[in-house]
Amino acid sequence: MASEFKVAGRKSSRTVVAGAIGALSLAVAAGCSSPDTVTARCVDEDRLSDGSYRVVDEDRCDDDSSSSSSYSSGGGGYFFYYGGSASGSRVSGGSTSRPSGSKIVTERGNVIQRGGMGGRGGSGGS
């Protein structure tokens, strides 16, 4: 009969260690597999008087991974502006440099770059 009784609230040390290792593994995997998502907006290269950029149709930007991130057509230059806050057809507070280790998505939902350690999106080679 003594074998039917359990001490409430006590677990073996193996169970506790296995649970802790499992939780730690999940936390590390989640941190590595879910990069920050940054929105890329196609903007006119000329800054507005308030320092913001005018957002234009993203078809005007070239999203390949070439060394130049700007695209010029018909006298106007356009490039992707990463992050920032949009207000109407203006954006500010972001960066003209493509962030590394982030998933970059356009406003239409097109993925320009997948996140990861040193990852780089696009195709092509040199």
Side-chain angles (χ1 to χ4, degrees), residues 77-89:
Y78 307 98
F79 59 90
F80 279 111
Y81 188 75
Y82 307 100
S85 300
S87 176
S89 63

Side-chain angles (χ1 to χ4, degrees), residues 20-111:
I21 290 173
L24 180 61
S25 298
L26 287 174
V28 169
C32 292
S33 65
S34 59
D36 293 331
T37 300
V38 175
T39 301
R41 295 175 182 87
C42 185
V43 297
D44 188 300
E45 70 180 359
D46 296 322
R47 281 186 176 229
L48 300 172
S49 60
D50 64 357
S52 65
Y53 289 96
R54 183 175 61 93
V55 178
V56 297
D57 188 278
E58 73 183 57
D59 288 337
R60 294 184 180 185
C61 284
D62 181 11
D63 67 348
D64 70 11
S65 59
S66 66
S67 60
S68 173
S69 64
S70 64
Y71 175 72
S72 183
S73 173
Y78 307 98
F79 59 90
F80 279 111
Y81 188 75
Y82 307 100
S85 300
S87 176
S89 63
R90 296 178 177 202
V91 64
S92 63
S95 175
T96 58
S97 299
R98 184 181 287 203
S100 63
S102 295
K103 179 179 178 183
I104 302 173
V105 181
T106 66
E107 288 186 298
R108 289 188 194 162
N110 296 321
V111 176

